[in-house]
Amino acid sequence: MACSLADLRFHFTAPHQRAVRSSASALKNSPGTGIYYLKWGSLIHQRNKFQKCLYTKKMTKIVQAVALPESPLLLDSVEQRKQICESYGFSQIGEPLPENVTMKDVIDTLPKKFFVIGHDCAHKSFSRNKLVEDIIGTLAFLPLIYPYEPWRFKHDRHHAKTNMLSQDTGWHPVRREEIESSVALRKGIILGYGMFRPWMSIAHWLVWHFDLKKFRPNEIKRVKISLACVFAFITIGWPLIICQTGVMGWIKFWLMPWIGYHFWMSTITMVHHTAPHIPFKSSKEWNAAQSQLGGTVHCNYPRWIEILGHDINVHIPHHISPRIPSYNLRAAHQSLQENWGKYLNEATWSWRLMKTIMTTCHVYNKERNYVAFDDIYPEDSQSITFLRKVMPDYA
């Protein structure tokens, strides 16, 4: 990800690459790669468009800085995939999937056999009895004051329209017209996608699940039932918690776990669906197999996190077939690796990976996929500049 560790900022340009901002360091280009290296201990003084650099030689430590493309990524090049893989913090960036491959081709390679309780209920992979699924799913969602049916409808749409611009209800780039409509809105969006991005699922929860206008007529009845259940939990459950434990008990035993949950969910799902090289397509250009197999990310976390998350980080098979229950995700992923491995996007969690996502993947651009906020609106992007400075760049 971009590596910026002090107040000075500058740009260097190489063929098809934009070097990220840096300071208190000198940028050195590895010939022919478009990858830049930082020489620590150098003193940089920035003046005009291309700055003159004064430096003193001290001990040298090499740190790789991410370079972002000015033109579309050439993912058909093995060497370039390897280079941007290391720069972005991925362990593998998949090859483009051939145009003639369909979702049926991929699904047919999965093993024929196949719980995150509320989640699997929503995907109808928990029980053969649909009423049981709806009741258990509603109860499982209540402590989070998540209305079950609205979430199910929007989550199904996310799976049906993954990486489809304007149609996907999950993580997607900000549209230029959204941030140009209002200065106040722009500043709010930049702050949200910067400092508060690990909690952005709270905004998603509020915007997408309580507005009846966002649902089809045949969905309204179920949505109203779920909303009634949520408001009943708030009306009855919250006063009971406060009565037994006081306001501080409500904060400790409900509010803080709720905020922690959203941090958890925002971060993990953000990694699933946000990468500089993964494009969002218009409905005319969109291809289901390409979006589900090559448009999602498998990320390895420390094992204790994966156990607590019920293997939800094993995300690619979940998009190939959402009805695969959580306990079969690893077997399905192994099958995908064996049959389609070179097309998969895989990463191991690192600070570089998170820094790439949080300071680069912002505004939609058809040629470059994403443009960073501070490239377009530097005067409003102090939060992004701050993240560039303070976030580590360790891979």
Side-chain angles (χ1 to χ4, degrees):
M1 189 43 217
C3 186
S4 174
L5 302 172
D7 292 330
L8 302 178
R9 302 191 306 171
F10 55 92
H11 292 276
F12 282 76
T13 304
H16 305 298
Q17 300 285 335
R18 173 179 63 78
V20 296
R21 300 160 185 80
S22 180
S23 56
S25 57
L27 282 177
K28 181 179 180 182
N29 183 23
S30 178
T33 66
I35 300 296
Y36 291 77
Y37 295 90
L38 301 177
K39 274 193 170 184
W40 292 81
S42 300
L43 178 64
I44 304 300
H45 183 64
Q46 175 181 355
R47 287 299 179 191
N48 302 309
K49 184 176 181 181
F50 289 96
Q51 302 80 3
K52 295 180 180 180
C53 298
L54 302 174
Y55 60 92
T56 57
K57 290 186 177 180
K58 295 184 180 179
M59 70 174 185
T60 300
K61 180 180 179 181
I62 301 300
V63 178
Q64 182 171 302
V66 173
L68 293 181
E70 290 290 355
S71 58
L73 294 169
L74 302 177
L75 295 181
D76 54 347
S77 164
V78 175
E79 186 61 30
Q80 186 168 15
R81 282 202 306 274
K82 182 178 179 180
Q83 291 168 1
I84 62 177
C85 209
E86 184 177 354
S87 297
Y88 292 163
F90 280 75
S91 54
Q92 175 177 300
I93 287 177
E95 296 180 17
L97 192 69
E99 293 285 344
N100 61 340
V101 175
T102 67
M103 278 291 288
K104 184 178 185 302
D105 295 329
V106 180
I107 292 173
D108 285 347
T109 65
L110 293 174
K112 298 307 176 185
K113 62 178 183 177
F114 290 103
F115 296 134
V116 178
I117 293 176
H119 178 271
D120 284 4
C121 285
H123 282 302
K124 305 304 178 186
S125 61
F126 178 77
S127 170
R128 294 182 180 180
N129 188 311
K130 303 311 174 189
L131 178 60
V132 169
E133 284 185 323
D134 289 341
I135 292 173
I136 293 178
T138 298
L139 293 175
F141 274 50
L142 277 185
L144 297 170
I145 55 174
Y146 247 109
Y148 169 75
E149 293 289 359
W151 183 88
R152 181 170 72 86
F153 292 140
K154 295 307 178 187
H155 191 65
D156 283 349
R157 183 177 172 186
H158 161 65
H159 275 272
K161 308 290 185 180
T162 304
N163 291 1
M164 185 184 290
L165 196 64
S166 300
Q167 301 298 319
D168 191 350
T169 61
W171 290 99
H172 53 77
V174 177
R175 301 295 293 272
R176 192 80 178 250
E177 53 268 28
E178 293 176 319
I179 54 178
E180 290 183 343
S181 61
S182 163
V183 174
L185 178 62
R186 177 166 67 245
K187 291 183 177 180
I189 290 176
I190 292 175
L191 186 63
Y193 269 74
M195 300 294 295
F196 297 102
R197 198 165 185 178
W199 290 274
M200 280 291 283
S201 60
I202 295 177
H204 184 273
W205 159 80
L206 187 62
V207 169
W208 281 99
H209 301 92
F210 294 89
D211 185 356
L212 294 179
K213 296 178 182 178
K214 295 185 182 297
F215 299 94
R216 301 183 181 94
N218 64 328
E219 298 171 341
I220 295 296
K221 182 178 179 180
R222 285 179 168 270
V223 169
K224 287 182 176 179
I225 293 173
S226 288
L227 293 179
C229 291
V230 165
F231 293 131
F233 178 85
I234 293 173
T235 304
I236 300 171
W238 284 4
L240 285 175
I241 295 173
I242 294 172
C243 180
Q244 294 295 317
T245 65
V247 174
M248 286 306 299
W250 177 82
I251 293 173
K252 289 191 296 184
F253 300 122
W254 186 83
L255 181 61
M256 297 308 294
W258 185 78
I259 292 174
Y261 161 78
H262 277 283
F263 172 83
W264 182 287
M265 186 173 75
S266 294
T267 303
I268 288 181
T269 57
M270 176 171 60
V271 173
H272 287 164
H273 296 291
T274 314
H277 66 282
I278 295 179
F280 277 70
K281 299 286 189 178
S282 68
S283 57
K284 293 181 180 179
E285 301 172 303
W286 187 81
N287 177 283
Q290 292 173 355
S291 296
Q292 308 292 12
L293 187 68
T296 54
V297 176
H298 171 84
C299 184
N300 294 307
Y301 293 86
R303 186 57 186 147
W304 67 270
I305 291 180
E306 297 181 356
I307 291 172
L308 289 177
H310 300 280
D311 289 335
I312 194 60
N313 61 297
V314 187
H315 200 62
I316 299 175
H318 179 58
H319 269 266
I320 298 301
S321 180
R323 291 196 175 186
I324 299 174
S326 61
Y327 51 80
N328 276 332
L329 287 174
R330 288 194 176 274
H333 185 71
Q334 183 177 351
S335 173
L336 291 176
Q337 287 179 314
E338 293 169 356
N339 293 283
W340 306 94
K342 65 181 181 179
Y343 304 113
L344 305 183
N345 295 292
E346 299 189 355
T348 296
W349 189 94
S350 69
W351 282 109
R352 178 174 296 171
L353 177 68
M354 295 308 299
K355 195 172 184 180
T356 296
I357 293 170
M358 293 185 67
T359 66
T360 298
C361 301
H362 298 146
V363 182
Y364 171 72
N365 181 275
K366 184 175 177 62
E367 287 74 33
R368 295 168 55 189
N369 300 336
Y370 290 94
V371 178
F373 283 131
D374 50 347
D375 276 358
I376 310 173
Y377 304 106
E379 69 282 0
D380 296 327
S381 302
Q382 294 87 349
S383 61
I384 305 301
T385 303
F386 176 76
L387 288 176
R388 290 188 191 277
K389 293 178 183 179
V390 302
M391 289 187 73
D393 193 45
Y394 309 133

